mmCIF file with all atom_site columns, all heavy atoms in Angstrom:
data_model
loop_
_atom_site.group_PDB
_atom_site.id
_atom_site.type_symbol
_atom_site.label_atom_id
_atom_site.label_alt_id
_atom_site.label_comp_id
_atom_site.label_asym_id
_atom_site.label_entity_id
_atom_site.label_seq_id
_atom_site.pdbx_PDB_ins_code
_atom_site.Cartn_x
_atom_site.Cartn_y
_atom_site.Cartn_z
_atom_site.occupancy
_atom_site.B_iso_or_equiv
_atom_site.pdbx_formal_charge
_atom_site.auth_seq_id
_atom_site.auth_comp_id
_atom_site.auth_asym_id
_atom_site.auth_atom_id
_atom_site.pdbx_PDB_model_num
ATOM 1   N N   . THR M 1 122 ? -13.516 -158.772 -54.923 1.00 0.00 ? 122 THR M N   1
ATOM 2   C CA  . THR M 1 122 ? -13.453 -158.720 -56.334 1.00 0.00 ? 122 THR M CA  1
ATOM 3   C C   . THR M 1 122 ? -13.657 -160.200 -56.957 1.00 0.00 ? 122 THR M C   1
ATOM 4   O O   . THR M 1 122 ? -13.958 -160.391 -58.130 1.00 0.00 ? 122 THR M O   1
ATOM 5   C CB  . THR M 1 122 ? -12.196 -158.162 -56.887 1.00 0.00 ? 122 THR M CB  1
ATOM 6   O OG1 . THR M 1 122 ? -11.093 -158.997 -56.445 1.00 0.00 ? 122 THR M OG1 1
ATOM 7   C CG2 . THR M 1 122 ? -12.058 -156.779 -56.338 1.00 0.00 ? 122 THR M CG2 1
ATOM 8   N N   . GLU M 1 123 ? -13.471 -161.228 -56.211 1.00 0.00 ? 123 GLU M N   1
ATOM 9   C CA  . GLU M 1 123 ? -13.597 -162.554 -56.600 1.00 0.00 ? 123 GLU M CA  1
ATOM 10  C C   . GLU M 1 123 ? -13.646 -163.448 -55.328 1.00 0.00 ? 123 GLU M C   1
ATOM 11  O O   . GLU M 1 123 ? -12.972 -163.088 -54.282 1.00 0.00 ? 123 GLU M O   1
ATOM 12  C CB  . GLU M 1 123 ? -12.426 -163.073 -57.536 1.00 0.00 ? 123 GLU M CB  1
ATOM 13  C CG  . GLU M 1 123 ? -12.441 -164.390 -58.260 1.00 0.00 ? 123 GLU M CG  1
ATOM 14  C CD  . GLU M 1 123 ? -11.316 -164.685 -58.985 1.00 0.00 ? 123 GLU M CD  1
ATOM 15  O OE1 . GLU M 1 123 ? -10.519 -163.748 -59.434 1.00 0.00 ? 123 GLU M OE1 1
ATOM 16  O OE2 . GLU M 1 123 ? -11.049 -165.964 -59.268 1.00 0.00 ? 123 GLU M OE2 1
ATOM 17  N N   . GLY M 1 124 ? -14.184 -164.669 -55.484 1.00 0.00 ? 124 GLY M N   1
ATOM 18  C CA  . GLY M 1 124 ? -14.211 -165.511 -54.380 1.00 0.00 ? 124 GLY M CA  1
ATOM 19  C C   . GLY M 1 124 ? -13.609 -166.996 -54.661 1.00 0.00 ? 124 GLY M C   1
ATOM 20  O O   . GLY M 1 124 ? -13.992 -167.534 -55.685 1.00 0.00 ? 124 GLY M O   1
ATOM 21  N N   . TYR M 1 125 ? -12.665 -167.358 -53.944 1.00 0.00 ? 125 TYR M N   1
ATOM 22  C CA  . TYR M 1 125 ? -12.239 -168.785 -53.894 1.00 0.00 ? 125 TYR M CA  1
ATOM 23  C C   . TYR M 1 125 ? -13.166 -169.649 -53.176 1.00 0.00 ? 125 TYR M C   1
ATOM 24  O O   . TYR M 1 125 ? -13.343 -169.509 -51.992 1.00 0.00 ? 125 TYR M O   1
ATOM 25  C CB  . TYR M 1 125 ? -10.876 -168.833 -53.270 1.00 0.00 ? 125 TYR M CB  1
ATOM 26  C CG  . TYR M 1 125 ? -9.705  -168.182 -54.087 1.00 0.00 ? 125 TYR M CG  1
ATOM 27  C CD1 . TYR M 1 125 ? -8.850  -167.286 -53.460 1.00 0.00 ? 125 TYR M CD1 1
ATOM 28  C CD2 . TYR M 1 125 ? -9.381  -168.605 -55.385 1.00 0.00 ? 125 TYR M CD2 1
ATOM 29  C CE1 . TYR M 1 125 ? -7.813  -166.655 -54.250 1.00 0.00 ? 125 TYR M CE1 1
ATOM 30  C CE2 . TYR M 1 125 ? -8.397  -167.965 -56.079 1.00 0.00 ? 125 TYR M CE2 1
ATOM 31  C CZ  . TYR M 1 125 ? -7.682  -167.062 -55.512 1.00 0.00 ? 125 TYR M CZ  1
ATOM 32  O OH  . TYR M 1 125 ? -6.564  -166.430 -56.233 1.00 0.00 ? 125 TYR M OH  1
ATOM 33  N N   . SER M 1 126 ? -13.928 -170.554 -53.896 1.00 0.00 ? 126 SER M N   1
ATOM 34  C CA  . SER M 1 126 ? -14.965 -171.298 -53.312 1.00 0.00 ? 126 SER M CA  1
ATOM 35  C C   . SER M 1 126 ? -14.395 -172.509 -52.699 1.00 0.00 ? 126 SER M C   1
ATOM 36  O O   . SER M 1 126 ? -13.886 -173.463 -53.270 1.00 0.00 ? 126 SER M O   1
ATOM 37  C CB  . SER M 1 126 ? -16.000 -171.600 -54.339 1.00 0.00 ? 126 SER M CB  1
ATOM 38  O OG  . SER M 1 126 ? -16.900 -172.517 -53.816 1.00 0.00 ? 126 SER M OG  1
ATOM 39  N N   . GLU M 1 127 ? -14.685 -172.477 -51.248 1.00 0.00 ? 127 GLU M N   1
ATOM 40  C CA  . GLU M 1 127 ? -14.499 -173.893 -50.537 1.00 0.00 ? 127 GLU M CA  1
ATOM 41  C C   . GLU M 1 127 ? -15.700 -174.211 -49.692 1.00 0.00 ? 127 GLU M C   1
ATOM 42  O O   . GLU M 1 127 ? -15.630 -174.759 -48.726 1.00 0.00 ? 127 GLU M O   1
ATOM 43  C CB  . GLU M 1 127 ? -13.282 -173.718 -49.740 1.00 0.00 ? 127 GLU M CB  1
ATOM 44  C CG  . GLU M 1 127 ? -12.561 -175.123 -49.428 1.00 0.00 ? 127 GLU M CG  1
ATOM 45  C CD  . GLU M 1 127 ? -11.272 -175.043 -48.611 1.00 0.00 ? 127 GLU M CD  1
ATOM 46  O OE1 . GLU M 1 127 ? -11.419 -174.661 -47.455 1.00 0.00 ? 127 GLU M OE1 1
ATOM 47  O OE2 . GLU M 1 127 ? -10.219 -175.353 -49.094 1.00 0.00 ? 127 GLU M OE2 1
ATOM 48  N N   . GLU M 1 128 ? -16.834 -173.690 -50.413 1.00 0.00 ? 128 GLU M N   1
ATOM 49  C CA  . GLU M 1 128 ? -18.081 -173.886 -49.765 1.00 0.00 ? 128 GLU M CA  1
ATOM 50  C C   . GLU M 1 128 ? -18.886 -174.895 -50.894 1.00 0.00 ? 128 GLU M C   1
ATOM 51  O O   . GLU M 1 128 ? -18.389 -174.946 -51.920 1.00 0.00 ? 128 GLU M O   1
ATOM 52  C CB  . GLU M 1 128 ? -19.002 -172.678 -49.399 1.00 0.00 ? 128 GLU M CB  1
ATOM 53  C CG  . GLU M 1 128 ? -18.767 -171.438 -50.389 1.00 0.00 ? 128 GLU M CG  1
ATOM 54  C CD  . GLU M 1 128 ? -19.300 -171.725 -51.688 1.00 0.00 ? 128 GLU M CD  1
ATOM 55  O OE1 . GLU M 1 128 ? -20.348 -172.244 -51.848 1.00 0.00 ? 128 GLU M OE1 1
ATOM 56  O OE2 . GLU M 1 128 ? -18.810 -171.007 -52.649 1.00 0.00 ? 128 GLU M OE2 1
ATOM 57  N N   . GLY M 1 129 ? -19.963 -175.443 -50.311 1.00 0.00 ? 129 GLY M N   1
ATOM 58  C CA  . GLY M 1 129 ? -20.493 -176.354 -51.157 1.00 0.00 ? 129 GLY M CA  1
ATOM 59  C C   . GLY M 1 129 ? -21.666 -176.051 -52.076 1.00 0.00 ? 129 GLY M C   1
ATOM 60  O O   . GLY M 1 129 ? -22.303 -176.813 -52.765 1.00 0.00 ? 129 GLY M O   1
ATOM 61  N N   . THR M 1 130 ? -21.926 -174.599 -52.208 1.00 0.00 ? 130 THR M N   1
ATOM 62  C CA  . THR M 1 130 ? -23.166 -174.220 -52.918 1.00 0.00 ? 130 THR M CA  1
ATOM 63  C C   . THR M 1 130 ? -22.720 -173.774 -54.414 1.00 0.00 ? 130 THR M C   1
ATOM 64  O O   . THR M 1 130 ? -23.428 -174.117 -55.264 1.00 0.00 ? 130 THR M O   1
ATOM 65  C CB  . THR M 1 130 ? -23.758 -172.965 -52.152 1.00 0.00 ? 130 THR M CB  1
ATOM 66  O OG1 . THR M 1 130 ? -24.102 -173.372 -50.837 1.00 0.00 ? 130 THR M OG1 1
ATOM 67  C CG2 . THR M 1 130 ? -24.947 -172.599 -52.883 1.00 0.00 ? 130 THR M CG2 1
ATOM 68  N N   . SER M 1 131 ? -21.558 -173.119 -54.448 1.00 0.00 ? 131 SER M N   1
ATOM 69  C CA  . SER M 1 131 ? -21.275 -172.463 -55.843 1.00 0.00 ? 131 SER M CA  1
ATOM 70  C C   . SER M 1 131 ? -21.237 -173.505 -57.007 1.00 0.00 ? 131 SER M C   1
ATOM 71  O O   . SER M 1 131 ? -21.535 -173.217 -57.998 1.00 0.00 ? 131 SER M O   1
ATOM 72  C CB  . SER M 1 131 ? -19.936 -171.720 -55.725 1.00 0.00 ? 131 SER M CB  1
ATOM 73  O OG  . SER M 1 131 ? -19.987 -170.705 -54.696 1.00 0.00 ? 131 SER M OG  1
ATOM 74  N N   . ALA M 1 132 ? -20.758 -174.684 -56.558 1.00 0.00 ? 132 ALA M N   1
ATOM 75  C CA  . ALA M 1 132 ? -20.529 -175.754 -57.708 1.00 0.00 ? 132 ALA M CA  1
ATOM 76  C C   . ALA M 1 132 ? -21.644 -176.090 -58.424 1.00 0.00 ? 132 ALA M C   1
ATOM 77  O O   . ALA M 1 132 ? -21.715 -176.738 -59.481 1.00 0.00 ? 132 ALA M O   1
ATOM 78  C CB  . ALA M 1 132 ? -19.846 -176.897 -57.099 1.00 0.00 ? 132 ALA M CB  1
ATOM 79  N N   . HIS M 1 133 ? -22.896 -175.941 -57.802 1.00 0.00 ? 133 HIS M N   1
ATOM 80  C CA  . HIS M 1 133 ? -24.182 -176.255 -58.371 1.00 0.00 ? 133 HIS M CA  1
ATOM 81  C C   . HIS M 1 133 ? -24.802 -175.220 -59.354 1.00 0.00 ? 133 HIS M C   1
ATOM 82  O O   . HIS M 1 133 ? -25.718 -175.449 -59.914 1.00 0.00 ? 133 HIS M O   1
ATOM 83  C CB  . HIS M 1 133 ? -25.197 -176.437 -57.195 1.00 0.00 ? 133 HIS M CB  1
ATOM 84  C CG  . HIS M 1 133 ? -24.782 -177.555 -56.319 1.00 0.00 ? 133 HIS M CG  1
ATOM 85  N ND1 . HIS M 1 133 ? -25.132 -178.890 -56.561 1.00 0.00 ? 133 HIS M ND1 1
ATOM 86  C CD2 . HIS M 1 133 ? -24.180 -177.486 -55.035 1.00 0.00 ? 133 HIS M CD2 1
ATOM 87  C CE1 . HIS M 1 133 ? -24.625 -179.659 -55.593 1.00 0.00 ? 133 HIS M CE1 1
ATOM 88  N NE2 . HIS M 1 133 ? -24.085 -178.825 -54.686 1.00 0.00 ? 133 HIS M NE2 1
ATOM 89  N N   . TYR M 1 134 ? -24.120 -174.096 -59.556 1.00 0.00 ? 134 TYR M N   1
ATOM 90  C CA  . TYR M 1 134 ? -24.462 -173.161 -60.541 1.00 0.00 ? 134 TYR M CA  1
ATOM 91  C C   . TYR M 1 134 ? -23.407 -172.961 -61.520 1.00 0.00 ? 134 TYR M C   1
ATOM 92  O O   . TYR M 1 134 ? -22.271 -172.483 -61.367 1.00 0.00 ? 134 TYR M O   1
ATOM 93  C CB  . TYR M 1 134 ? -24.578 -171.727 -59.737 1.00 0.00 ? 134 TYR M CB  1
ATOM 94  C CG  . TYR M 1 134 ? -25.711 -171.750 -58.856 1.00 0.00 ? 134 TYR M CG  1
ATOM 95  C CD1 . TYR M 1 134 ? -25.679 -172.199 -57.538 1.00 0.00 ? 134 TYR M CD1 1
ATOM 96  C CD2 . TYR M 1 134 ? -27.007 -171.160 -59.147 1.00 0.00 ? 134 TYR M CD2 1
ATOM 97  C CE1 . TYR M 1 134 ? -26.727 -172.245 -56.613 1.00 0.00 ? 134 TYR M CE1 1
ATOM 98  C CE2 . TYR M 1 134 ? -28.100 -171.054 -58.256 1.00 0.00 ? 134 TYR M CE2 1
ATOM 99  C CZ  . TYR M 1 134 ? -27.943 -171.662 -57.022 1.00 0.00 ? 134 TYR M CZ  1
ATOM 100 O OH  . TYR M 1 134 ? -29.046 -171.718 -56.167 1.00 0.00 ? 134 TYR M OH  1
ATOM 101 N N   . PRO M 1 135 ? -23.685 -173.458 -62.749 1.00 0.00 ? 135 PRO M N   1
ATOM 102 C CA  . PRO M 1 135 ? -22.755 -173.471 -63.928 1.00 0.00 ? 135 PRO M CA  1
ATOM 103 C C   . PRO M 1 135 ? -22.635 -172.070 -64.455 1.00 0.00 ? 135 PRO M C   1
ATOM 104 O O   . PRO M 1 135 ? -23.461 -171.536 -65.108 1.00 0.00 ? 135 PRO M O   1
ATOM 105 C CB  . PRO M 1 135 ? -23.418 -174.475 -64.911 1.00 0.00 ? 135 PRO M CB  1
ATOM 106 C CG  . PRO M 1 135 ? -24.714 -174.368 -64.655 1.00 0.00 ? 135 PRO M CG  1
ATOM 107 C CD  . PRO M 1 135 ? -24.883 -174.207 -63.166 1.00 0.00 ? 135 PRO M CD  1
ATOM 108 N N   . VAL M 1 136 ? -21.424 -171.424 -64.089 1.00 0.00 ? 136 VAL M N   1
ATOM 109 C CA  . VAL M 1 136 ? -21.140 -170.055 -64.716 1.00 0.00 ? 136 VAL M CA  1
ATOM 110 C C   . VAL M 1 136 ? -19.759 -170.044 -65.205 1.00 0.00 ? 136 VAL M C   1
ATOM 111 O O   . VAL M 1 136 ? -18.941 -170.929 -64.933 1.00 0.00 ? 136 VAL M O   1
ATOM 112 C CB  . VAL M 1 136 ? -21.235 -169.062 -63.583 1.00 0.00 ? 136 VAL M CB  1
ATOM 113 C CG1 . VAL M 1 136 ? -22.817 -168.873 -63.135 1.00 0.00 ? 136 VAL M CG1 1
ATOM 114 C CG2 . VAL M 1 136 ? -20.287 -169.379 -62.464 1.00 0.00 ? 136 VAL M CG2 1
ATOM 115 N N   . GLU M 1 137 ? -19.458 -169.111 -66.042 1.00 0.00 ? 137 GLU M N   1
ATOM 116 C CA  . GLU M 1 137 ? -18.037 -168.910 -66.428 1.00 0.00 ? 137 GLU M CA  1
ATOM 117 C C   . GLU M 1 137 ? -17.243 -168.240 -65.349 1.00 0.00 ? 137 GLU M C   1
ATOM 118 O O   . GLU M 1 137 ? -17.652 -167.391 -64.767 1.00 0.00 ? 137 GLU M O   1
ATOM 119 C CB  . GLU M 1 137 ? -18.016 -168.030 -67.831 1.00 0.00 ? 137 GLU M CB  1
ATOM 120 C CG  . GLU M 1 137 ? -18.598 -168.507 -68.953 1.00 0.00 ? 137 GLU M CG  1
ATOM 121 C CD  . GLU M 1 137 ? -18.460 -167.757 -70.232 1.00 0.00 ? 137 GLU M CD  1
ATOM 122 O OE1 . GLU M 1 137 ? -17.803 -166.781 -70.087 1.00 0.00 ? 137 GLU M OE1 1
ATOM 123 O OE2 . GLU M 1 137 ? -18.982 -168.075 -71.180 1.00 0.00 ? 137 GLU M OE2 1
ATOM 124 N N   . GLU M 1 138 ? -16.033 -168.894 -65.088 1.00 0.00 ? 138 GLU M N   1
ATOM 125 C CA  . GLU M 1 138 ? -15.263 -168.307 -64.009 1.00 0.00 ? 138 GLU M CA  1
ATOM 126 C C   . GLU M 1 138 ? -14.173 -167.575 -64.681 1.00 0.00 ? 138 GLU M C   1
ATOM 127 O O   . GLU M 1 138 ? -13.690 -167.719 -65.784 1.00 0.00 ? 138 GLU M O   1
ATOM 128 C CB  . GLU M 1 138 ? -14.647 -169.468 -63.226 1.00 0.00 ? 138 GLU M CB  1
ATOM 129 C CG  . GLU M 1 138 ? -15.658 -170.241 -62.541 1.00 0.00 ? 138 GLU M CG  1
ATOM 130 C CD  . GLU M 1 138 ? -15.186 -171.326 -61.483 1.00 0.00 ? 138 GLU M CD  1
ATOM 131 O OE1 . GLU M 1 138 ? -13.927 -171.578 -61.605 1.00 0.00 ? 138 GLU M OE1 1
ATOM 132 O OE2 . GLU M 1 138 ? -15.801 -172.016 -60.752 1.00 0.00 ? 138 GLU M OE2 1
#
Side-chain angles (χ1 to χ4, degrees):
T122 59
E123 185 182 339
Y125 290 123
S126 173
E127 206 177 65
E128 34 71 31
T130 305
S131 297
H133 298 277
Y134 289 82
V136 296
E137 293 185 6
E138 294 186 352

